[in-house]
């Protein structure tokens, strides 16, 4: 089927898969809509029958399987194969979180019985999603990154924090840690020694990172697809304007904005690493020294990928499906000015940022409006937004009671 110049193979289904129980996952809804609108049969693993993804009109079938991240990886692989054997044809497997991406890459040969996957070194995604491995690769390839330390005990924890200077950023060391044994709920900014010691019980499971002050920084997003020949196309760039929690959490409001230099830098890094497949990179421009510093390399489709598309309608998920079904990926520049908003989180982020020093804005005039991509609301697919609103309200009521 042709979607504004993008011809997809409707005989090849897709299966979306993530690990852990977080039903409000906008990246999954975006992927269902992207491929479903193009006529591709889309299946998804979901926590229950009433997640936003599960009720999308573009979903062909939901597979209810509430994973936790505590399972034996081999059991996860076997369950995935069980689903795959019931599909009408080998499917494009689309991991939508780091844990699923690492599982798929590590078991690629086993999963190939039922699924189509990018050909990537089985250990590379783990080395990029894991903070220690990413930092070492940045050093090896001359890629700027925030100064990072890996404490082995509480003495090193406090010494490294003093060396980096407060406030300091604390992160879980490895992707699976956030599900199995999280020390912090996510990226956390700690302002003094007392707060650090109260927060971190087991230093071996965290890293410390130098904080780039928000008034001296811009947060940039790069989404790309690295093809088997090493060519990265498409490569999209955008500016994160708000997040929740403020300045450290997930993107709640962003804008597509061309940054050719950063696009080339990201593509060169993927080629140097030998990475293949979809990727979501977070860069922080430190205005004090003018350098883009790599903060995260997510070896999978990013949650806000639908903010980005070419004039021909190509996005990263469609590029993945085209490549794995043997079809050419058409070239084309990104549509400028497209905005992304996560409706369930951005109102709180807007209030938090208002009247405070937010991220530094890029110089020059912002591009004209290129449309708004909402995480949940779509006129042709209204139920995910309704379900999201109900679940957010129910969660708020439960928290208030407790």
């Amino acid at each position: 089927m042709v979607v504004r110049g993008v011809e997809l193979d409707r005989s090849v289904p897709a299966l979306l898969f993530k690990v852990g129980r977080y039903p409000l996952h906008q990246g999954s809804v975006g992927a269902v809509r992207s491929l479903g609108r193009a006529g591709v049969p889309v299946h998804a693993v979901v926590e229950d029958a009433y997640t936003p993804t599960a009720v999308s009109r573009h979903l062909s079938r939901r597979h209810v399987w509430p994973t936790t991240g505590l399972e034996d990886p081999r059991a996860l692989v076997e369950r995935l194969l069980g689903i795959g054997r019931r599909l009408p044809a080998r499917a494009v497997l689309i991991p939508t979180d780091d844990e699923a991406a690492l599982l798929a890459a590590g078991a690629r040969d086993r999963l190939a019985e039922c699924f189509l996957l990018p050909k990537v070194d089985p250990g590379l995604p783990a080395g990029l999603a894991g903070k220690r491995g990413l930092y070492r690769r940045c050093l090896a390839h001359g890629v700027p990154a925030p100064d990072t330390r890996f404490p082995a005990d509480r003495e090193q924890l406090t010494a490294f924090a003093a060396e980096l200077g407060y406030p300091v950023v604390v992160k879980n060391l490895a992707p699976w840690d956030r599900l199995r044994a999280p020390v912090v709920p996510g990226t956390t900014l700690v302002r003094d020694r007392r707060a650090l010691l109260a927060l971190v019980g087991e230093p071996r499971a965290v890293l410390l990172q130098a904080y780039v002050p928000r008034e001296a920084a811009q947060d940039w997003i790069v989404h790309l697809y690295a093809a088997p020949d090493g060519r990265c196309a498409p490569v999209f760039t955008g500016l994160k304007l708000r997040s929740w929690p403020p300045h450290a959490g997930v993107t709640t409001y962003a804008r597509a904005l061309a940054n050719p230099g950063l696009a080339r830098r990201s593509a060169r890094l993927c080629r140097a690493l030998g990475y293949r497949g979809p990727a979501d990179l977070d860069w922080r421009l430190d205005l004090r020294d003018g350098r883009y510093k790599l903060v995260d390399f997510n070896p999978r489709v990013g949650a806000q990928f639908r903010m980005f598309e070419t004039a021909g309608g190509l996005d990263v998920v469609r590029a993945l499906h085209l490549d794995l079904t043997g079809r050419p990926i058409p070239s084309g520049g990104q549509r400028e000015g497209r905005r992304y908003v996560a409706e369930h989180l951005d109102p709180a982020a807007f209030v938090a940022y208002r009247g405070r020093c937010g991220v530094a804005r890029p110089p020059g005039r912002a591009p004209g409006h290129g449309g708004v991509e909402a995480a949940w609301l779509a006129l042709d697919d209204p139920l995910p937004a309704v379900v999201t609103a109900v679940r957010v309200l129910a969660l708020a009521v439960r928290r208030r009671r407790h």
Side-chain angles (χ1 to χ4, degrees):
M1 182 174 183
V2 177
V3 180
R4 290 165 50 197
V6 179
E7 186 177 355
L8 299 175
D9 187 343
R10 291 185 293 171
S11 69
V12 180
L15 176 68
L16 308 184
F17 174 60
K18 61 184 179 65
V19 178
R21 297 187 183 185
Y22 46 105
L24 301 185
H25 188 264
Q26 53 266 43
S28 297
V29 172
V32 169
R33 287 171 174 168
S34 178
L35 294 179
R37 286 168 179 157
V40 173
V42 187
H43 297 244
V45 173
V46 295
E47 292 87 342
D48 59 64
Y50 299 101
T51 70
T53 302
V55 300
S56 172
R57 66 182 293 266
H58 298 292
L59 187 69
S60 298
R61 183 179 175 185
R62 58 180 179 251
H63 302 266
V64 177
W65 175 18
T67 59
T68 65
L70 303 178
E71 299 89 351
D72 185 323
R74 292 170 296 183
L76 292 174
V77 169
E78 290 305 315
R79 182 73 179 268
L80 266 178
L81 287 171
I83 293 173
R85 291 174 185 130
R86 296 195 299 270
L87 299 178
R90 285 180 74 199
V92 173
L93 184 62
I94 305 178
T96 56
D97 63 11
D98 288 347
E99 291 80 7
L102 270 55
L103 182 80
R108 183 184 179 278
D109 291 345
R110 183 81 179 89
L111 291 171
E113 173 193 336
C114 299
F115 299 106
L116 301 171
L117 291 158
K119 294 181 180 179
V120 64
D121 183 315
L124 182 57
L128 296 172
K131 308 307 179 187
R132 191 190 302 272
L134 178 62
Y135 188 64
R136 288 176 174 172
R137 285 169 172 81
C138 285
L139 295 178
H141 292 278
V143 175
D147 287 340
T148 304
R149 301 291 184 272
F150 304 93
D153 52 42
R154 289 175 76 81
E155 182 179 352
Q156 285 192 352
L157 179 73
T158 55
F160 287 160
E163 180 183 343
L164 293 172
Y166 290 99
V168 66
V169 176
V170 183
K171 297 181 180 180
N172 293 308
L173 193 56
W176 288 97
D177 290 346
R178 71 188 181 100
L179 297 177
R180 294 177 175 171
V183 177
V184 291
T187 300
T188 304
L189 189 64
V190 177
R191 299 194 175 277
D192 55 45
R193 182 178 186 273
R194 182 177 179 180
L196 178 65
L197 290 173
L199 176 70
V200 179
E202 177 48 67
R204 293 178 183 274
V206 300
L207 63 84
L208 301 177
Q209 203 167 70
Y211 176 61
V212 181
R214 61 179 183 266
E215 63 272 13
Q218 293 173 3
D219 289 319
W220 286 84
I221 305 163
V222 177
H223 288 197
L224 59 79
Y225 186 78
D229 62 1
R231 182 176 69 98
C232 290
V235 183
F236 299 112
T237 58
L239 189 65
K240 180 190 293 189
L241 297 171
R242 289 193 292 270
S243 61
W244 187 260
H247 311 291
V250 299
T251 302
T252 66
Y253 185 70
R255 181 183 289 270
L257 189 63
N259 188 329
L262 184 59
R264 288 192 295 270
R265 182 178 287 112
S266 301
R268 283 199 303 268
L269 175 61
C270 287
R271 286 194 294 271
L273 294 170
Y275 180 76
R276 303 293 182 264
D280 169 12
L281 285 68
D282 292 324
W283 297 84
R284 191 157 228 209
L285 173 58
D286 189 338
L287 298 174
R288 300 170 301 180
D289 58 19
R291 297 196 303 168
Y292 288 92
K293 298 176 179 179
L294 184 60
V295 177
D296 286 306
F297 190 119
N298 302 300
R300 39 85 180 163
V301 173
Q304 68 277 7
F305 81 94
R306 277 298 304 150
M307 177 174 70
F308 299 115
E309 67 174 18
T310 68
L314 179 70
D315 61 31
V316 169
V317 166
R318 289 174 178 171
L320 169 67
H321 195 277
L322 286 169
D323 180 45
L324 295 183
T325 56
R327 298 188 172 220
I329 300 174
S331 59
Q334 72 179 42
R335 290 178 59 197
E336 282 288 83
R338 277 175 62 82
R339 291 165 291 160
Y340 168 84
V341 60
E343 310 96 299
H344 66 311
L345 297 173
D346 195 54
F350 178 82
V351 172
Y353 277 69
R354 190 174 183 181
R356 298 170 55 184
C357 182
V359 293
R361 301 303 176 96
R365 186 177 178 182
H369 293 312
V372 177
E373 182 71 27
W376 311 111
L377 184 61
L379 295 180
D380 69 330
D381 190 25
L383 280 182
V386 174
V387 168
T388 298
V390 171
R391 296 189 82 129
V392 168
L393 180 60
L395 180 60
V397 169
R398 286 198 299 269
R399 286 178 175 173
R400 188 166 183 176
R401 288 175 176 173
H402 294 289

